[in-house]
Amino acid sequence: MGKRVAIVGAGVSGLASIRCCLEVGLEPTCFERSNDIGGLWKFSDRVEEGRASIYRSVFTNSSKEMMCFPDFPYPDDFPNFMHHSKLQEYITAFAKEKNLLKYTQFNTFVTSVEKHPDFSITGQWNVTTEKDGKKESSIFDAVMVCSGHHVYPNLPKESFPGLELFKGKCIHSRDYKEPGAFKGKRVLVIGLGNSGCDIATELSHIAKQVIISSRSGSWVITRDWDNGYPWDMMLVTRFETFLKNNLPTAFSDWWYMKQMNSRFKHENYGLMPLNGTLRKEPVFNDELLACILCGRVSIKPNVKEFTETSAIFEDGAVFEAIDCVIFATGYGYAYPFLDDSIIKSRDNEVTLFKGIFPPQLEKPTLAVIGLVQSLGSAIPTADMQARWAAQIIKGTCTLPSVRDMMNDIDEKMGKKLKWFGKSEAIQTDYIVYLDEIASFIGVKPSIPWLFLTDPKLAVEVFFGPCSPYQYRLVGPGKWPGARNAILTQWDRVLKPTNTRVVGSPQKPCLFSHWLKLLAIPILFIAIFLVLI
């Protein structure tokens, strides 16, 4: 074995990191503070300090073909969108198949990661861990931080005047597990994100009244898209990304808003984002619209102030006799075992090259895996990051100069401001990001070459969903089954839904929604030609 690598956390990012280290001959040791793998997806009926927390009813927002490890498809009969227990079953199967458990130390808490005294020469780290009350320090050649960013709740109490006077119960969505305790209650949910909408719609079945307060609104889409196919299989494509990034901004913005507003008019339901052209991740919820239509959930603007028993909204409306306020206000990202200056090297902002490497380190031996967010799944993103990081640590790839890395960070922040409305380091464009990292390690598929050598595969790769298998077609870590996995991905999508056979399963036409778009100008041209 080669260099020793400490991996913090055994969620999907940690497991991907273990496997990628092994692929290039590194020696990984993973430290997991709980007694099992899975991280965020390992459900517990109680909130545990230092660990991500989910509620009992959580389902995935990405479909199975788009959120698998690139060389390990889900079983055919798994549902397209999975309950957390089903995903945990898959994660466990992956870890066992790749023999990753023997590299993981459970019930082991990383208390500190510090530079070794000769770091500028060796790039080594002192890693201190604690297990059963006993501390132990070891020297590692590199560290991969995989502890996630859904651990430390963001609770902006200072943004709500009078909250200290409120006599009802206040909790963060992290503390929510199931609806039973809210039967007959009047509940205010702060935040129109995925968790806020999930909790509000679930509570609406048993609570007396539920209101969601939103500061800026959000696009809301369902998990099924055109003709009932999974949304990401239809929208997350190379062709779609190519058009978005190359069409005139005005047309691209118009088309994006048309897509987001295709199911219903958001302005009619109080959901319309303040700036609808921003590519922020939409909310995925299959019930919210029906709940609003049936009067079980109402949408209100931001809370102006609280009283002892009520909330006064910015439009002057008052929600009285509130029993509980649930803050679905997201999470902050923190690594208490690591000196803040390493990750936040400029203006107290997260400053990481490609969202992974601190650019100011003398040696590139620390990588943050799984911090970025995009309109795509975390599993293939973490896998790609870990593959590149492992090669950097191994020495088979190198990073640019500090100056070039800082210039790249500045350039990307400008683009993020344009696309997402803020320069936060964790937001990125899914396919563009994966392709960029894939090109560093020689695993990005060449579309022109595919069209010349394998047209059938090329059509599916470019016009079809950008599934993770694409990044195991060529280069280091190539998987012989990748081509077949891509060509059969729609079979695995249709298998679990086709439980009552009434005809041949219908796969989508890859160009259907663009043909609809082109039909409009063609119709106008035809009318014009007739009139003249």
Side-chain angles (χ1 to χ4, degrees):
M1 301 297 287
K3 296 178 179 178
R4 298 183 68 223
V5 181
I7 298 171
V8 185
V12 294
S13 297
L15 295 174
S17 297
I18 298 172
R19 194 271 290 268
C20 292
C21 283
L22 294 172
E23 283 185 322
V24 299
L26 300 174
E27 184 180 346
T29 301
C30 181
F31 301 106
E32 168 56 44
R33 70 181 296 161
S34 73
N35 62 359
D36 202 356
I37 59 173
L40 172 70
W41 296 104
K42 177 60 180 177
F43 175 77
S44 172
D45 55 10
R46 59 188 178 87
V47 178
E48 300 174 24
E49 183 183 357
R51 286 198 65 232
S53 176
I54 56 175
Y55 34 95
R56 191 178 298 277
S57 59
V58 162
F59 279 77
T60 63
N61 291 330
S62 296
S63 65
K64 66 176 182 179
E65 290 300 303
M66 300 295 280
M67 67 176 301
C68 63
F69 288 99
D71 59 346
F72 195 71
Y74 288 85
D76 289 3
D77 59 350
F78 269 43
N80 285 290
F81 295 96
M82 292 164 288
H83 186 252
H84 63 76
S85 59
K86 210 69 177 170
L87 180 54
Q88 180 66 12
E89 182 182 330
Y90 168 81
I91 293 169
T92 301
F94 172 77
K96 290 180 178 178
E97 172 71 20
K98 305 299 181 181
N99 199 22
L100 306 181
L101 298 179
K102 72 176 184 178
Y103 301 97
T104 305
Q105 297 183 18
F106 294 104
N107 300 306
T108 305
F109 172 49
V110 175
T111 59
S112 71
V113 174
E114 298 175 331
K115 292 180 180 178
H116 194 266
D118 61 0
F119 178 84
S120 61
I121 299 171
T122 65
Q124 291 181 324
W125 299 85
N126 289 330
V127 178
T128 303
T129 59
E130 183 176 333
K131 182 174 183 177
D132 299 328
K134 296 179 181 179
K135 287 193 174 183
E136 181 180 328
S137 292
S138 301
I139 298 173
F140 287 88
D141 298 299
V143 176
M144 299 174 79
V145 179
C146 307
S147 50
H149 54 91
H150 292 93
V151 177
Y152 303 99
N154 173 40
L155 202 58
K157 292 184 177 182
E158 67 283 353
S159 300
F160 298 97
L163 186 60
E164 69 280 359
L165 304 174
F166 180 65
K167 293 184 177 180
K169 187 177 182 180
C170 288
I171 65 170
H172 189 271
S173 57
R174 166 181 165 79
D175 301 308
Y176 176 85
K177 291 294 179 181
E178 52 190 10
F182 298 88
K183 185 175 183 179
K185 305 292 186 182
R186 294 166 62 84
V187 182
L188 173 63
V189 178
I190 306 286
L192 189 67
N194 285 310
S195 295
C197 290
D198 279 353
I199 292 170
T201 53
E202 184 170 62
L203 290 181
S204 71
H205 295 281
I206 64 169
K208 185 175 182 180
Q209 187 174 1
V210 179
I211 288 180
I212 300 175
S213 168
S214 174
R215 180 179 56 191
S216 55
S218 180
W219 294 116
V220 178
I221 65 175
T222 55
R223 291 176 174 86
D224 64 301
W225 200 247
D226 289 345
N227 299 313
Y229 298 112
W231 73 270
D232 48 359
M233 298 283 282
M234 302 300 290
L235 290 182
V236 184
T237 73
R238 292 182 177 279
F239 182 53
E240 189 95 26
T241 298
F242 172 80
L243 291 176
K244 180 193 75 174
N245 292 327
N246 290 279
L247 287 172
T249 301
F251 184 83
S252 177
D253 289 347
W254 171 81
W255 178 240
Y256 175 74
M257 293 182 66
K258 180 178 174 61
Q259 284 181 315
M260 293 296 103
N261 230 0
S262 61
R263 290 297 180 93
F264 64 94
K265 301 299 181 184
H266 282 63
E267 50 267 56
N268 293 346
Y269 292 85
L271 299 168
M272 187 73 181
L274 292 180
N275 187 345
T277 63
L278 295 179
R279 268 52 167 191
K280 294 180 180 179
E281 182 181 2
V283 170
F284 298 95
N285 194 285
D286 305 315
E287 288 188 72
L288 182 61
L289 187 63
C291 288
I292 296 173
L293 281 170
C294 296
R296 302 205 315 261
V297 173
S298 301
I299 310 295
K300 297 298 294 180
N302 197 36
V303 174
K304 181 181 178 181
E305 64 176 311
F306 283 93
T307 67
E308 291 184 352
T309 59
S310 307
I312 303 171
F313 300 102
E314 289 181 345
D315 62 358
V318 180
F319 184 25
E320 298 179 339
I322 302 173
D323 295 296
C324 183
V325 177
I326 300 176
F327 286 89
T329 44
Y331 293 84
Y333 27 92
Y335 304 101
F337 50 83
L338 197 63
D339 189 324
D340 254 5
S341 64
I342 294 174
I343 302 293
K344 300 179 179 180
S345 59
R346 185 176 64 179
D347 301 330
N348 203 35
E349 290 183 348
V350 172
T351 311
L352 297 170
F353 180 59
K354 305 304 179 188
I356 303 172
F357 291 102
Q360 305 286 3
L361 282 181
E362 302 98 309
K363 298 289 183 179
T365 56
L366 184 136
V368 180
I369 307 299
L371 179 60
V372 301
Q373 283 185 200
S374 63
L375 191 63
S377 172
I379 292 179
T381 303
D383 183 80
M384 183 62 70
Q385 290 179 320
R387 291 171 75 183
W388 183 40
Q391 296 222 24
I392 294 289
I393 294 167
K394 173 81 171 179
T396 51
C397 290
T398 57
L399 293 179
S401 67
V402 173
R403 180 178 179 180
D404 287 345
M405 286 192 285
M406 294 304 294
N407 287 339
D408 182 83
I409 290 169
D410 290 338
E411 180 186 344
K412 293 296 189 295
M413 282 188 173
K415 290 181 178 179
K416 287 170 185 175
L417 195 62
K418 173 188 175 183
W419 287 110
F420 308 112
K422 49 190 174 183
S423 59
E424 288 185 0
I426 63 172
Q427 200 78 30
T428 191
D429 187 316
Y430 181 66
I431 295 178
V432 172
Y433 180 74
L434 289 190
D435 275 357
E436 191 171 27
I437 296 180
S439 65
F440 296 155
I441 56 177
V443 300
K444 177 185 174 183
S446 170
I447 305 303
W449 179 249
L450 280 179
F451 271 108
L452 287 172
T453 59
D454 195 341
K456 181 180 180 181
L457 178 63
V459 169
E460 196 68 38
V461 167
F462 186 67
F463 293 103
C466 186
S467 49
Y469 318 117
Q470 295 189 13
Y471 296 104
R472 292 276 176 171
L473 280 169
V474 296
K478 176 182 177 180
W479 176 44
R483 181 182 186 274
N484 183 62
I486 292 169
L487 296 178
T488 58
Q489 57 195 357
W490 284 107
D491 295 329
R492 290 186 297 278
V493 169
L494 296 172
K495 175 69 180 294
T497 61
N498 195 31
T499 53
R500 174 177 171 262
V501 180
V502 290
S504 299
Q506 299 295 307
K507 299 178 184 179
C509 171
L510 299 179
F511 317 102
S512 59
H513 62 290
W514 286 103
L515 290 174
K516 292 177 187 175
L517 177 65
L518 291 173
I520 299 173
I522 291 172
L523 179 62
F524 277 112
I525 292 171
I527 293 172
F528 175 76
L529 291 175
V530 169
L531 291 176
I532 62 172

